[in-house]
Amino acid sequence: MTTHTATSYTQLPIIDLSAADRGPQARALLHAQLHSAAHDVGFFQLVGHGVTPAETDALLTAMRAFFALPEADRLALDNVGSPHFRGYTRTGDERTGGARDWRDQLDIGAERPARVPGPGEPPYWWLQGPNQWPAALPELRTAALAWIDRLSAVAHRLLRELLTAIGAPADFYDPVFGDRAHPHLKLVRYPGSAADGTDQGVGAHKDYGFLTLLLQDTVGGLQVQREDGRFHDIPPIEGAFVVNLGELLEVATNGYLLATNHRVVSPPGATERYSVPFFYNPRLDAKVDPLPFPHATTAPGVTTDPTNPLYAEYGYNELKGKLRAHPLAAERHHAGLATPA
């Protein structure tokens, strides 16, 4: 692990992905920085990603228009009506660590026909299905699906550079993504503090995929747990994505790369905060093989949590998360459904 004479938590490492195109020396420096950030912190700010302000504005404009719709229009997309956990979640209806999250959101995935698991098929195929879109806002569908495609390309490139940075084959995980990958996009609004004074915007957790790319506004509230065990604020940087590694990469590297606990503290009073996390996930039926890389012998092992078992097939991990996070939808459509023991 890289040693530092003094530790500063005022900002995460800043990684410029465009350095990969500026010659061998710049790319080598990028790999050194990326290696350190992923091994030591598990979080960093990504710039030089190529996503333009115009692309970002198109998404944010459509997103704000969605949350400005009458409540009846948003509730028409209630995810309680979706066996695929797609659609709108009212403030307070999602759970993290068993506690209520004070935010509302729209969950969007790859636009595919529903697949109802047949006899003997894994129940995670319930997670494949159509999204729910507001009829009054067709531009939201266009912007959100374009964002999924755009960020999938950025995440694919970033993952290949990260694997190269730690001495692994860049294309090792290409087969588990491709055109059947299972990306997930959330459009999230934090409406301010709850009336009862609790400040859990979203509780402390780790993500269970490969990479998360977060677009956050200027309000702040994201906190990351660092080496001292405390949660530290992550100041927003205009034009940057906050990137964190998911549990699949920690498992694949036997703990050499870190999936790090993070949370969101509700903004004060009636201040609204908007954020757009994008989760770069493999195919539901992907079996994630251990990564061959030269530092494997120094890997410390995976952080284990008996309340949060991890499965070899990605789909079981996501199904577990959805059943816990959305108890109302789970009760309506999947009563008695469980992940493997």
Side-chain angles (χ1 to χ4, degrees), residues 142 160 173 282 311:
T142 302
R160 290 176 67 109
Y173 288 120
Y311 305 107

Side-chain angles (χ1 to χ4, degrees), residues 112 159 173-178 180-184 208-211 248 279-288 312-315 317-318:
R112 297 188 183 127
L159 179 60
Y173 288 120
D174 283 5
V176 302
F177 285 94
R180 305 310 294 172
H182 192 73
H184 179 207
Y208 37 74
F210 268 74
L211 293 169
L248 286 182
F279 304 92
Y280 186 57
N281 302 324
R283 299 192 326 257
L284 287 170
D285 59 350
K287 293 180 174 65
V288 180
E313 284 176 80
Y314 170 70
N317 294 307
E318 180 157 331

Side-chain angles (χ1 to χ4, degrees), residues 1-8 36 39-40 227:
M1 181 175 289
T2 305
T3 56
H4 304 278
T5 54
T7 303
S8 171
S36 175
H39 175 53
D40 297 340
E227 297 96 318

Side-chain angles (χ1 to χ4, degrees), residues 79-152:
N79 87 332
V80 175
S82 169
H84 321 293
F85 299 95
R86 305 290 177 87
Y88 178 68
T89 303
R90 286 178 285 195
T91 302
D93 277 3
E94 189 175 25
R95 299 286 187 272
T96 299
R100 179 193 65 185
D101 293 329
W102 200 246
R103 62 181 183 174
D104 61 342
Q105 65 189 36
L106 187 68
D107 281 281
I108 302 163
E111 192 69 87
R112 297 188 183 127
R115 177 170 175 181
V116 177
E121 285 192 317
Y124 56 65
W125 289 116
W126 278 111
L127 300 173
Q128 177 177 306
N131 295 299
Q132 299 194 73
W133 303 107
L137 203 62
E139 61 268 31
L140 180 64
R141 183 183 192 276
T142 302
L145 294 181
W147 193 257
I148 287 175
D149 288 344
R150 190 74 175 87
L151 263 64
S152 291

Side-chain angles (χ1 to χ4, degrees), residues 50-291:
V51 178
T52 66
E55 290 174 300
T56 302
D57 288 346
L59 180 72
L60 293 179
T61 299
M63 174 185 178
R64 289 177 181 273
F66 170 75
F67 286 110
L69 289 173
E71 184 180 43
D73 288 10
R74 285 178 275 125
L75 289 176
L77 314 180
D78 195 332
N79 87 332
V80 175
S82 169
H84 321 293
F85 299 95
R86 305 290 177 87
Y88 178 68
T89 303
R90 286 178 285 195
T91 302
D93 277 3
E94 189 175 25
R95 299 286 187 272
T96 299
R100 179 193 65 185
D101 293 329
W102 200 246
R103 62 181 183 174
D104 61 342
Q105 65 189 36
L106 187 68
D107 281 281
I108 302 163
E111 192 69 87
R112 297 188 183 127
R115 177 170 175 181
V116 177
E121 285 192 317
Y124 56 65
W125 289 116
W126 278 111
L127 300 173
Q128 177 177 306
N131 295 299
Q132 299 194 73
W133 303 107
L137 203 62
E139 61 268 31
L140 180 64
R141 183 183 192 276
T142 302
L145 294 181
W147 193 257
I148 287 175
D149 288 344
R150 190 74 175 87
L151 263 64
S152 291
V154 173
H156 172 70
R157 184 181 188 202
L158 176 60
L159 179 60
R160 290 176 67 109
E161 295 295 346
L162 173 58
L163 296 184
T164 301
I166 64 170
D171 60 355
F172 188 77
Y173 288 120
D174 283 5
V176 302
F177 285 94
D179 61 0
R180 305 310 294 172
H182 192 73
H184 179 207
L185 176 66
K186 284 179 180 278
L187 307 181
V188 184
R189 174 178 62 176
Y190 296 87
S193 298
D196 62 5
T198 57
D199 65 355
Q200 176 172 306
V202 60
H205 66 284
K206 299 177 181 181
D207 297 338
Y208 37 74
F210 268 74
L211 293 169
T212 303
L213 280 68
L214 172 73
L215 175 67
Q216 59 171 341
D217 66 12
T218 58
V219 173
L222 174 65
Q223 296 183 336
V224 173
Q225 192 172 32
R226 299 295 298 266
E227 297 96 318
D228 62 358
R230 296 168 55 206
F231 283 86
H232 295 265
D233 291 318
I234 303 305
I237 296 178
E238 185 175 358
F241 292 112
V242 180
V243 177
N244 65 279
L245 279 57
E247 290 173 319
L248 286 182
L249 272 177
E250 181 172 313
V251 170
T253 61
N254 196 30
Y256 188 80
L257 299 181
L258 293 179
T260 305
N261 266 323
H262 53 287
R263 68 187 185 189
V264 174
V265 175
S266 294
T271 303
E272 289 187 329
R273 174 183 184 262
Y274 292 89
S275 74
V276 186
F278 169 79
F279 304 92
Y280 186 57
N281 302 324
R283 299 192 326 257
L284 287 170
D285 59 350
K287 293 180 174 65
V288 180
D289 293 328
L291 186 69

